[in-house]
Amino acid sequence: MKHVRHFTPSLFLSLVHVCLVQANYAPYFFDNGARSTNGNMALLSLSEDTPVGTHVYTLNGTDPEGDPVTYGLAYEAGSRRYFSVDENLGNVTLIEELDREKEDEIEVIVSISDGLSTVSEKVRILVMDANDESPEFVNTPYIVQVPENAPSGSSIFKIEAVDKDTGSGGSITYFLQNIHANKFTIDRHSGVLRIKTGVTLDYEKSRTHFVVVVAKDGGGKLRGDNKVFSATTTVTVNVEDVQDTPPMFIGTPYYGYVYEDTLAGSEVLTVVALDGDRGNPNSIHYCIVNGDEGSFEISNTTGAISVIKSPNQLKKEVYELKVQASEVSQEDDISVYAFAVVTIRVVDLNNHPPTFYGENGPQNRFELTMYEHPPEGEILRGLKITVSDSDQGANAKFNLRLVGPGGIFRVVPQTVLNEAQVTIIVENSAAIDYEKFKVLTFKLLAIEVNTPEKFSSTADVVIRLLDTNDNVPKFSSDYYIARIPENSPGGSNVVAVTATDPDSGLWGEVKYSIYGTGADLFLIHPSTGIIYSQPWAILDAEVNSKYNFYVKAEDTDGKYSLAEVFITVLDVNDHSPEFNENIQEKTMIIGSPVKIEAIDQDAEEPNNIVDYSIMQADPANVFDIDRSTGEIKLKSYIRSLDIIHNITKNKDCIWSVVVQAKDRGSPSFSTTAVLKIDITEETLHKGPMAAFLMQTKDNPMKALGVLAGVVGIMVLITVMISTAMFWRNKRSNKIMPVRRIIRKRQTPQPRTVRMEWLKFKRPSNAAEKFVVEDDAKSLHNENSNNNIQVAPVPPTAPLPPPPPALAPRGDVPGWRVPTVSGSLTPKFINKQLKKRGHSSAHSALVSELKMKFEKKNAAIGEPHI
């Protein structure tokens, strides 16, 4: 101890030295400069088009002690994981596609560890732009209303497109397709649409202009290549009518004829004038300026010219009337007007039929090309038809009639005198449909009215129609129903929808799209209409078996229609039946089944229907199983434990059964479970005594000793009662035979001895006990095992058990002292036990003990008689 005391300062210094030597220093990252590819990932920038799987960086650091280091990457909660790292080499790999437009900065927590200390740093990685976005027009569709008197060079609309990219890839320039055929120009930078310099709009010539605008970005790098993206849209320019055109006479020149038999006041002909501004036309007022010489008058509203004198009062053969047609505004002001000359001849012979003329002379076929669905009331200006009858007066009066598809056009005038310009006016615009008739053919008839000869002539009118975008794409069905197996890989075709647009050219091209809450897992080919699942989609009938969304068919002008799609995910047998436990323990009472159950998670039948079978049992041919319910029961010939003991020497009667659960799907799946079955007989009484007997069924000597003790106690009680009664009778000098005590009780009829009065059941746990019951009230302490003193008054004796099968003694009266065995009579008897009789070993043991006990009672009772 003295030596240790002298060495204490040196030992302290040594400990300090060891502690200093073993001090650990934290590892650290190497600093990295700009554009460095190793260090701690600070100042790292990546282009958004970097391919997934690319090695983008190497984490690099060291430990001052030279210990090996490991690297790690972590992210804030809820952040997407873009990178993974090799913890030993520090190689950082891109595992998620970058998109600068969604996330331009990524925060990553990098760490380095030497096994004892870990250093973490938060760094930001910048996502650089790549030209991966196309321009998109804003606030489409574009429809512009422009008055026809808008000055040339004026601005009519501003088109706007945006590109989410930055730099040159986000800059946009505009230009027009077919610039030379357009009446418009566009500012390439601002997108302002203007009327070309020196060009004016004319409602009467063209009411609608379609301007195709192209927006193009400035281009940029995308995956190593220079990409330029563009988008197109159509601007519909509707020209608004302005009151800038005077009225126009239709059917000029006008010729009329007055015949000798013409009555005064008869209509000669009708002039027709229309407002040249067809968008909002004014009404027309007619008047004769000069040349009538008091012989003719005109209706101010209809333009009908009538002769007011009889033909013999007409002094001239030819009259030339100057007719004025004036526009009357809504304020009843006469604003602008036009003149026409009406030539009226006085004739009296009928020797010429009506004749049709074109621009170059007589003609019997007239052709015209026009767009479908012209406005109702529009005049077919391209048809230059004149009809004339060279006769005079009534001989030159004829009716015009158009024969062909009814209700589409009407001819003006319907009645002609001498000569007229034929006008065909649109009456039913909807019937002039390019999709129904590409060519309309009519017969134009001119039939004289009042002449007996009824001279007439005909001409063919052929109208060739041009298509417009007047139809909406229409689906072949209002809804589509499809089915797809749940194990279909991503990108599998589901159903093809079809929509048709009867319009021709680009107007008939249909583009498909889908939308709705149920469309997230599906895509549609824009041109073929094939609906297929997303490449990453995983269909699961157990999670969701029904999807519902809408599909849209749209033409180039934005006209569209919708249909509904219903998709059912078909269940595939992809789950095995599952037991809640692979090893189960159950107690089987003879005559009652036990049940085992497996659940199959598949969604539909027969994939989730489970069949059960016994694969293995030891010993075999003991159990049966219900194929559908899984109930397991003993074979019909096994009715008692004795039979089971004959089959096996296993006294515990705990057997293992391997049960298979197999579904009905194709292919079928199955699983097995081991069921440990404890077989026992049902006991009618439960209590401490029953539990004790059950626990000692394999040790008969122990049960015999306990039963002998109970019998001894009961014998002692009987002796005490007999002694008390003897002394009582002795005091009263009157001896009462014991037989009379017994006679006071109702003696049951003799019956055969049955051993069913006790039933045994193997206890499932130590807490179960054997219960002793009686038809009367239960007697406390009747077995003298609860340390309660017995009352001095003799207890009421229970019904005696049936007498044993012994040879009766001639000198012994037939009475017995009541014993405890009488209280063990069961309230009900199991039918199976009745059939067994005395086969049970336990019943035989109890019967033997009972017989000995009764013999002993008989021996005790003899001296009292």
Side-chain angles (χ1 to χ4, degrees), residues 441-463:
T441 303
F442 300 86
K443 288 284 186 182
L444 183 60
L445 306 181
I447 304 173
E448 290 185 353
V449 179
N450 298 323
T451 60
E453 297 87 354
K454 300 295 182 184
F455 291 138
S456 64
S457 61
T458 63
D460 293 325
V461 179
V462 179
I463 300 175

Side-chain angles (χ1 to χ4, degrees), residues 87-156:
E87 64 176 5
N88 296 316
L89 302 178
N91 294 333
V92 179
T93 303
L94 180 66
I95 62 172
E96 182 73 21
E97 187 175 20
L98 301 175
D99 190 348
R100 186 201 64 83
E101 286 72 32
K102 294 181 180 178
E103 193 171 0
D104 58 356
E105 283 188 5
I106 301 171
E107 288 190 355
V108 180
I109 300 173
V110 297
S111 63
I112 183 172
S113 174
D114 61 356
L116 295 175
S117 300
T118 301
V119 176
S120 299
E121 299 179 10
K122 181 183 287 187
V123 296
R124 291 185 178 180
I125 292 88
L126 301 179
V127 180
M128 309 304 293
D129 187 52
N131 189 25
D132 60 342
E133 299 288 339
S134 300
E136 294 182 1
F137 288 95
V138 180
N139 299 325
T140 58
Y142 298 133
I143 301 175
V144 185
Q145 307 292 336
V146 181
E148 64 176 339
N149 61 352
S152 63
S154 61
S155 171
I156 61 172

Side-chain angles (χ1 to χ4, degrees), residues 597-635:
E597 186 177 14
I599 304 298
D600 194 315
Q601 298 296 331
D602 285 308
E604 298 176 2
E605 297 181 1
N607 297 333
N608 58 5
I609 297 179
V610 179
D611 293 329
Y612 302 88
S613 62
I614 294 176
M615 302 299 294
Q616 182 180 352
D618 184 17
N621 298 322
V622 172
F623 299 97
D624 286 327
I625 188 167
D626 190 299
R627 183 170 180 264
S628 301
T629 64
E631 288 187 349
I632 300 174
K633 58 185 178 180
L634 293 170
K635 295 282 187 179

